[in-house]
Amino acid sequence: IIEDKVFCVHGGLSPTIKTIDDVLLFLTLDKIIDRRQEVPHDGSMCDLMWSDPDEISGWGLSPRGAGYLFGGDVVEEFNRSNSLTLICRAHQLIMEGYR
């Protein structure tokens, strides 16, 4: 989280994570678990790593076989619920620089 307004994540959002507190709880619990392993093919960690935004409404299946596709409405709800203004992702190259 940057200045309480920007959520930085490798991949994207997860239908099981509604708030930043959910992410923090997940990370806290994950410290108890050995994280030196392959990213699972499902679950919150997988979603944070591999989910992608798409021109859809709601949630969709990802063609990657891991994570989800999520629409602008999901982003708007997540941002509103968490008082955020932006989600910054690192997973996909955007030719325009940002989107």
Side-chain angles (χ1 to χ4, degrees):
I1 300 292
I2 300 172
E3 296 182 2
D4 295 326
K5 293 295 176 191
V6 180
F7 176 56
C8 299
V9 64
H10 176 79
L13 301 176
S14 172
T16 61
I17 295 177
K18 305 292 185 203
T19 67
I20 296 301
D21 287 342
D22 292 344
V23 176
L24 297 175
L25 177 62
F26 167 71
L27 293 175
T28 301
L29 292 174
D30 193 47
K31 288 179 184 175
I32 299 167
I33 300 168
D34 182 8
R35 292 186 295 161
R36 295 168 292 188
Q37 61 180 317
E38 291 290 321
V39 176
H41 290 285
D42 58 12
S44 299
M45 179 186 279
C46 173
D47 299 344
L48 292 172
M49 288 292 293
W50 302 122
S51 292
D52 298 307
D54 201 3
E55 300 294 323
I56 63 171
S57 179
W59 295 96
L61 295 176
S62 174
R64 293 182 191 282
Y68 289 88
L69 298 176
F70 55 93
D73 58 331
V74 172
V75 173
E76 289 175 16
E77 175 64 22
F78 186 83
N79 285 349
R80 186 183 56 71
S81 296
N82 292 283
S83 301
L84 299 171
T85 57
L86 183 71
I87 296 174
C88 182
R89 302 175 61 247
H91 184 63
Q92 290 177 303
L93 172 66
I94 301 299
M95 297 308 292
E96 303 86 2
Y98 68 92
R99 180 173 55 193

